[in-house]
Amino acid sequence: MTVMKRMVGGALAATLLMSLTGCGLFSGSDAHAPVDLVKVANPQVDVDIAWRVNVGESNGMLVPVVTQNAIYAAGGKTVKRLERATGKVVWSTAFKRPVVAGVGTDGLTLAVVTDDGVLHTMDPEGNVLWTASLSTDTQIPPLVGNGLVVVKTADSRITAFDAGSGQRLWHYLGQVPTLTLRAYKSLAWSPAGILVGQASGRLLALNVQGQPVFDMTVADPKGITEVERLVDIVGAPWVDPQLMCASAFQGETVCMSAQNGAIAWAKPVDAVSGPVGVPMGFFVTDSSGGVHALARNTGEQIWHNNELLYRSTSTPVPFGQNVAVSDYEGVVSVMDAQTGRVIGRKSLSGAVSGEPVPYGDGALFQSVKGDLYCVLPRTMTP
């Protein structure tokens, strides 16, 4: 997790490191050293690797996407379509520059952004449809749907393109922050329109014409220094038929009614992941690597697991009847959804710092080395 200090207009951007977790730079006595994993007592769930394929090195922000009949993943300078059942590569489309944001899709149009700030779109067969130069770079996956491809760039500009022609339809310019958190972020569709998290700690909703529907506070800046006052919407907003929810770094997790926008509850969590919902509630990862379970109707904390402190814990992902996270060493830990107790563990190759993706009862994990794993839960017999 890093904080980027950005001066728009071509000035040099300086990187300020907030926490060096999992870097091997700390001794065991350091307060912020990654904790050692404790052997799982009486494991109940095994993590089976159904398949594994290399899709190219990742910057840590690339995320695969699952559709009804395919998986699309980006890495290095390529985008690949994979068979859902086996991970077999169906096609691979190469670009001249590394892919740094994606994959976004509605099943008909695919979209990624390369490190030179160019948006590329493809059809489901990997044929390039059109490209567009953006105002600056981005690591946020494009949002595709409703005939649009929507991109939020590092200068806080939200731009919509016609998915068919590539015509630029509108843009909305948010407030450019002094500091922004380098963490996975995503846009989302909702009944209110396009949900956009902002580095000001506010959740913005735009309709398909680019007009604001609401602009809600998830976190208010506090403190004296710029770092202390940093609030940033992290991860992906959660949307289901009842609730729309979002989390902020040094802020709160807030849920509102999907029907009328009324605030259902707000609970303080220093989050680095968006809320992930299941019928019982929501799971959120905090800035120290702890995992929280919050009750769906009230936001009250059900449990808090601190066994993975400073291990760059990922966003939680549903895993069978439980929940799983990964860390900087590529270790997947399975937690009991009701109690938070670790009940299973598996080591993958390389750091897994991107967003895990639900896949049936299991999940997809993409490592920075480019290995994409499909892992499934298997209940262990006594």
Side-chain angles (χ1 to χ4, degrees), residues 40 81 223 256 266 268 308 313 324 343 356 368:
V40 179
R81 174 174 173 167
M256 70 183 84
L308 305 175
T313 313
I343 56 175
V368 294

Side-chain angles (χ1 to χ4, degrees), residues 8-300:
V8 177
L12 180 66
T15 302
L16 180 63
L17 197 60
M18 287 187 64
S19 63
L20 289 169
T21 60
C23 300
L25 299 179
F26 295 100
S27 66
S29 61
D30 192 291
H32 287 176
V35 300
D36 294 328
L37 294 177
V38 178
K39 184 179 179 180
V40 179
N42 301 316
Q44 298 175 16
V45 175
D46 197 6
V47 180
D48 284 344
I49 299 175
W51 51 259
R52 166 186 175 184
V53 62
N54 192 278
V55 296
E57 290 187 0
S58 169
N59 63 359
M61 299 293 175
L62 295 176
V63 176
V65 63
V66 180
T67 67
Q68 287 186 343
N69 55 10
I71 295 170
Y72 300 97
K77 298 179 181 179
T78 64
V79 174
K80 292 179 171 66
R81 174 174 173 167
L82 312 175
E83 290 183 352
R84 281 183 55 121
T86 65
K88 179 182 177 181
V89 176
V90 178
W91 55 251
S92 179
T93 297
F95 301 98
K96 294 181 179 180
R97 303 289 303 179
V99 178
V100 294
V103 179
T105 189
D106 61 355
L108 299 175
T109 302
L110 310 175
V112 297
V113 180
T114 47
D115 68 353
D116 53 355
V118 175
L119 170 67
H120 304 261
T121 63
M122 293 161 284
D123 66 18
E125 302 309 316
N127 302 304
V128 175
L129 299 174
W130 50 266
T131 63
S133 294
L134 304 174
S135 56
T136 186
D137 64 327
T138 184
Q139 292 188 326
I140 299 175
L143 182 67
V144 185
N146 294 316
L148 301 177
V149 178
V150 185
V151 182
K152 182 186 178 187
T153 45
D155 56 3
S156 296
R157 186 184 301 265
I158 302 112
T159 306
F161 300 86
D162 181 270
S165 66
Q167 178 186 357
R168 196 181 308 260
L169 299 177
W170 52 261
H171 73 264
Y172 180 95
L173 184 59
Q175 182 180 2
V176 179
T178 303
L179 294 179
T180 183
L181 191 72
R182 188 184 184 277
Y184 177 80
K185 301 165 190 174
S186 179
L187 312 180
W189 293 108
S190 77
I194 303 162
L195 293 183
V196 184
Q198 302 187 86
S200 60
R202 302 183 69 84
L203 182 66
L204 172 69
L206 301 173
N207 63 23
V208 293
Q209 289 79 39
Q211 300 164 333
V213 177
F214 67 75
D215 189 359
M216 183 189 72
T217 299
V218 179
D220 284 315
K222 298 179 177 68
I224 299 174
T225 68
E226 290 180 347
V227 172
E228 289 174 336
R229 294 181 58 80
L230 171 60
V231 287
D232 203 343
I233 304 296
V234 290
W238 176 267
V239 181
D240 63 28
Q242 290 77 41
L243 294 171
M244 298 183 291
C245 308
S247 294
F249 176 69
Q250 298 190 143
E252 296 183 314
T253 293
V254 176
C255 282
M256 70 183 84
S257 167
Q259 282 72 45
N260 58 25
I263 300 295
W265 51 263
K267 295 296 177 182
V269 180
D270 181 11
V272 291
S273 84
V276 175
V278 296
M280 64 165 277
F282 292 91
F283 304 107
V284 183
T285 300
D286 67 34
S287 62
S288 62
V291 180
H292 302 252
L294 307 177
R296 180 178 178 85
N297 293 331
T298 64
E300 293 301 321

